[in-house]
Amino acid sequence: MIERLEAITKRYEEINSELSKPDIVSNVKRMTELSKERTNLEKTVDVYYKYKKVLADIEEAKEMLHDKDMASFAREELTKAEEEKAKIEEKLEILLIPHDPNDEKNVIVEIRGAAGGDEANIFAGDLFDMYSRYASNEGWKIEILNAEEGTAGGYSQIEFMVKGDSVYSKLKYESGVHRVQRVPATESQGRVHTSTATVLVMPEAEEFDFELDESEVRIDITRSSGCGGQGVNTTDSAVRLTHIPTGIIVYSQTERSQIKNKELAFKILKTRLYDMKLREQEEKEAAERKVKIGTGDRSEKIRTYNYPQNRITDHRIGYTSMNLDRVMENGELGGIIEALINADQKKKLEESEI
């Protein structure tokens, strides 16, 4: 562990030196890459400095044990330092887990109503509201990129960006199939139905992550459709992008400005292509996929929301809580997210020890 920490500290110092060089300052791409790398290493280096100080304190306390007048005080200090050493070692073990370079990024989330017709679309709307409240609790901002409203409420599809500190590090566990069990508003007999919605969380593709060849994109301008107020259907402002090599189609109509819709559509397309690139890399790294908590298979049923019993269950880690109302109405997702992060870290630690 010490060898790895020394290597990280050396690299951190090298980056600081590099960032002061004129040729790096004038190279925006290289400057951005190095700044991100430094940010990723900074916390580990800070904790390692504290660890080295504690080790020095332990040695100092051991030396004082030989002094009869200081022995009692030295034993107390040694006990405190040993306890602090154990706590810091636990932190360092977690910090040394291979870092996901996308953790600090904003995300684009896509929610679709799946099995269950109108009720599935209503549930998709409920999930969007839940994530909006959770984002507010975290101090994040939400921007709707595209939305297709359901005929009975909710959304057949909605895409939105979440901006803030380390958004992907928490929301990346949300990709998958979400299942709801409840009596739908459209049900006259009072029977409990099961419906599903799919959630897809993608790290935002930044300028240097993915270079899109716009000559491979067909751009179609159409008239907006569906719900959206008096401004809809009055101008040809909706934009549909087709990425010819992959067949990926992106549609944006939330803005009245064609330019703005085109900008949003390209943002979604770049993120989709970057996400596809990441998935291909992960499939090649089979060992890494084994230690991840449900961030791979998007057809996986990850969570059930049982309204009659006010119960929410995450099937990947066997987490169950009887506070579904607070999760949905107040966005209190923190407990589930923390449990998923802890389980993910535990699995990665176990893998690293093999």
Side-chain angles (χ1 to χ4, degrees), residues 84-99:
E84 184 66 15
K85 175 175 174 280
K87 290 178 183 178
I88 293 177
E89 284 176 343
E90 287 183 10
K91 287 183 181 178
L92 287 172
E93 282 185 347
I94 292 172
L95 287 169
L96 288 174
I97 293 172
H99 180 75

Side-chain angles (χ1 to χ4, degrees), residues 147-214:
E148 298 175 17
E149 296 180 4
T151 55
Y155 300 96
S156 60
Q157 177 179 344
I158 182 167
E159 290 164 303
F160 57 97
M161 175 168 282
V162 187
K163 300 179 179 180
D165 294 332
S166 302
V167 179
Y168 186 69
S169 69
K170 296 183 178 179
L171 288 185
K172 64 183 177 182
Y173 302 101
E174 295 302 297
S175 289
V177 178
H178 294 241
R179 181 176 70 171
V180 63
Q181 295 173 326
R182 65 184 177 187
V183 179
T186 54
E187 168 59 50
S188 60
Q189 304 297 320
R191 294 173 296 186
V192 173
H193 286 227
T194 297
S195 303
T196 61
T198 60
V199 175
L200 173 59
V201 178
M202 300 171 285
E204 179 189 12
E206 297 176 351
E207 184 179 354
F208 304 120
D209 290 328
F210 186 86
E211 292 185 11
L212 176 63
D213 184 352
E214 295 193 12

Side-chain angles (χ1 to χ4, degrees), residues 116-346:
D118 288 339
E119 168 64 4
N121 293 340
I122 293 171
F123 179 48
D126 293 338
L127 289 175
F128 170 70
D129 292 339
M130 176 189 75
Y131 290 125
S132 298
R133 291 164 185 144
Y134 176 62
S136 178
N137 295 343
E138 293 290 316
W140 300 337
K141 301 294 183 184
I142 279 187
E143 175 187 358
I144 295 178
L145 303 176
N146 187 46
E148 298 175 17
E149 296 180 4
T151 55
Y155 300 96
S156 60
Q157 177 179 344
I158 182 167
E159 290 164 303
F160 57 97
M161 175 168 282
V162 187
K163 300 179 179 180
D165 294 332
S166 302
V167 179
Y168 186 69
S169 69
K170 296 183 178 179
L171 288 185
K172 64 183 177 182
Y173 302 101
E174 295 302 297
S175 289
V177 178
H178 294 241
R179 181 176 70 171
V180 63
Q181 295 173 326
R182 65 184 177 187
V183 179
T186 54
E187 168 59 50
S188 60
Q189 304 297 320
R191 294 173 296 186
V192 173
H193 286 227
T194 297
S195 303
T196 61
T198 60
V199 175
L200 173 59
V201 178
M202 300 171 285
E204 179 189 12
E206 297 176 351
E207 184 179 354
F208 304 120
D209 290 328
F210 186 86
E211 292 185 11
L212 176 63
D213 184 352
E214 295 193 12
S215 68
E216 296 179 339
V217 180
R218 187 175 73 241
I219 304 173
D220 296 307
I221 308 301
T222 64
R223 184 153 293 187
S224 299
S225 61
C227 304
Q230 295 179 352
V232 170
N233 292 327
T234 59
T235 58
D236 291 334
S237 60
V239 175
R240 184 175 63 240
L241 303 181
T242 304
H243 186 245
I244 297 168
T246 63
I248 292 175
I249 297 174
V250 169
Y251 189 71
S252 180
Q253 64 170 2
T254 55
E255 302 292 331
R256 296 191 181 189
S257 162
Q258 181 187 122
I259 295 174
K260 182 64 175 175
N261 279 328
K262 182 180 177 182
E263 179 185 323
L264 293 177
F266 266 104
K267 182 177 291 188
I268 296 171
L269 178 58
K270 287 179 181 178
T271 295
R272 283 188 174 279
L273 291 169
Y274 178 54
D275 183 62
M276 179 182 291
K277 176 184 171 185
L278 291 177
R279 296 290 161 179
E280 289 173 353
Q281 289 174 351
E282 288 180 356
E283 286 173 5
K284 293 177 182 177
E285 298 166 2
E288 182 186 351
R289 288 290 294 273
K290 289 176 184 176
V291 300
K292 291 190 173 181
I293 297 286
T295 58
D297 187 357
R298 292 164 186 175
S299 64
E300 177 185 6
K301 181 186 69 178
I302 65 168
R303 193 174 298 149
T304 295
Y305 304 71
N306 186 301
Y307 276 74
Q309 297 180 26
N310 196 37
R311 185 181 69 229
I312 184 166
T313 301
D314 195 288
H315 304 290
R316 294 164 292 181
I317 57 174
Y319 176 97
T320 296
S321 180
M322 310 303 289
N323 66 338
L324 175 60
D325 53 344
R326 298 202 300 275
V327 170
M328 302 303 291
E329 294 167 18
N330 304 330
E332 295 182 16
L333 261 177
I336 302 174
I337 298 293
E338 185 177 346
L340 286 162
I341 291 173
N342 290 339
D344 198 15
Q345 289 176 344
K346 182 180 178 182

